Amino acid sequence: MALRASVVVPVWNGRSWLPGLLASLRAQTVAPHELIAVDNGSADGSREWLAEQAPEVRVVALGRNTGFACAANRGVREATGDVVALVNTDIELAPDWLERGLAAMGEGIGAVATKMVDLVDPGMLYDAGDILRRDGVCEQRGRFRRDEGLWDEPGEVFAACAGAALYRREALLALGGFDERFFSYLEDVDLGLRLRLAGWRCAWEPRAVARHAGGGSAGQLRRPVAAWAERNTLLLVARAFPWRWLPMVAYRQLAWRARAARAGELGAFLRGAGAAVPLLPAMLGERRRLRRDSVVPIAAVVPPRPVRGPRAGGHPRSAA
């Protein structure tokens, strides 16, 4: 039986992007089973526009900004499809995006990563699947590089960027969905890690293409992106990483601190680290349960990679 896909769009002040997104959803070669928009208290008329211009979309209004993770989870719970396709507001999908993504959702696949390119310049990559290193770095393959076919072979990747990805709904529900304590940024990496530890694999489908404006409403967040990234990296590491990897994590933290200082972002970096502190005891307390429930060891899920140079990933000359 064909899989049914519920499209879930977390919305927060994304009114200007909605016409392009809805037009691309209406043009899909495989029609979504349902369209759900979860509004995080938008103040720019997003809900009103959806009610007037997109009556086929079921809007769930949360009343305030609860963060991407919470909005996504609410959408997953509301969905009735076998697959949840998560799509950001600042995305326009190729007509066959959903069809190709569903075709990649084979046996044992818990998520499908799709190719994300720049909205204005589709020849520039935004994300070609995510990888995680033992120093705590998550790299978006190909980010801001020309799309020269380096990642055009379908296969598998560590995790999907949730800006345009498909997830098996039963897998999300079994794991409790996105960790809402992450609020925004790296919640998809954390989920990707937990999916892999639970035995699910992530397919990479480069023929399913999403054009991404980048940034979206993130500039309105109270903390800058650098602070969220630092905060949530520390939370992920505290809960999941073996103690023997901590020297690599410490090396990367020192390198990030030095880079932040050179870029004038040291304050944001330190605020992010400070914001992680209240949650670290809870994350450390969950380590044993995560190891107990894992069916695949983390050393197999996060294989050894160099922590610097082209073979580390994310480097301008990297093919990883």
Side-chain angles (χ1 to χ4, degrees):
M1 186 174 67
L3 295 172
R4 301 171 304 161
S6 300
V7 175
V8 172
V9 182
V11 179
W12 184 48
N13 295 332
R15 161 69 180 82
S16 61
W17 309 111
L18 290 174
L21 170 61
L22 264 295
S24 71
L25 285 169
R26 289 165 175 161
Q28 291 299 299
T29 54
V30 169
H33 170 63
E34 60 188 342
L35 298 175
I36 302 170
V38 183
D39 185 74
N40 260 333
S42 294
D44 67 344
S46 291
R47 293 189 310 280
E48 293 79 3
W49 187 91
L50 287 167
E52 294 173 3
Q53 303 295 327
E56 72 272 31
V57 177
R58 176 154 56 100
V59 178
V60 179
L62 300 184
R64 62 185 178 87
N65 185 15
T66 62
F68 176 88
C70 181
N73 284 345
R74 179 63 180 272
V76 171
R77 292 194 298 270
E78 294 280 341
T80 59
D82 312 290
V83 171
V84 173
L86 272 176
V87 185
N88 278 1
T89 51
D90 58 350
I91 290 282
E92 293 183 13
L93 304 169
D96 60 351
W97 181 85
L98 189 57
E99 180 179 4
R100 290 189 178 278
L102 285 171
M105 188 66 75
E107 186 71 25
I109 299 297
V112 178
T114 67
K115 181 189 285 188
M116 298 174 68
V117 299
D118 186 74
L119 180 64
V120 177
D121 180 7
M124 178 176 289
L125 286 166
Y126 187 87
D127 187 283
D130 293 350
I131 58 175
L132 182 64
R133 299 204 314 245
R134 294 183 178 187
D135 59 354
V137 172
C138 175
E139 299 282 6
Q140 293 178 292
R141 296 192 306 181
R143 187 172 175 86
F144 302 143
R145 294 175 57 171
R146 302 307 301 176
D147 186 5
E148 298 173 339
L150 193 58
W151 295 280
D152 276 358
E153 192 67 31
E156 293 186 17
V157 70
F158 168 76
C161 172
L166 293 86
Y167 295 92
R168 195 176 296 273
R169 184 168 179 266
E170 65 171 298
L172 293 189
L173 293 176
L175 293 176
F178 293 93
D179 189 329
E180 297 178 10
R181 292 170 294 186
F182 280 65
F183 196 82
S184 284
Y185 291 99
L186 298 185
E187 68 283 295
D188 48 1
V189 180
D190 171 74
L191 176 62
L193 175 60
R194 288 185 286 119
L195 283 168
R196 297 296 298 266
L197 293 174
W200 294 99
R201 306 193 313 279
C202 180
W204 161 239
E205 180 44 88
R207 297 166 296 187
V209 179
R211 296 170 62 182
H212 180 42
S217 52
Q220 303 172 63
L221 290 171
R222 181 169 55 88
R223 293 191 185 103
V225 173
W228 285 111
E230 170 60 11
R231 171 189 184 271
N232 293 343
T233 295
L234 294 177
L235 298 184
L236 185 153
V237 165
R239 177 165 59 187
F241 276 28
W243 297 115
R244 65 182 180 277
W245 294 358
L246 291 191
M248 288 181 284
V249 174
Y251 165 82
R252 182 55 52 200
Q253 287 292 308
L254 289 171
W256 275 353
R257 180 170 179 168
R259 185 176 66 182
R262 292 194 299 270
E265 298 177 345
L266 183 59
F269 176 87
L270 294 176
R271 287 195 299 273
V277 171
L279 289 170
L280 288 178
M283 291 293 181
L284 290 168
E286 295 170 17
R287 293 171 60 86
R288 181 174 298 178
R289 178 170 57 85
L290 183 64
R291 288 197 302 270
R292 183 196 66 208
D293 295 343
S294 298
V295 299
V296 180
I298 192 171
V301 170
V302 186
R305 302 173 63 91
V307 296
R308 60 184 300 174
R311 292 180 57 241
H315 189 280
R317 296 192 302 278
S318 172

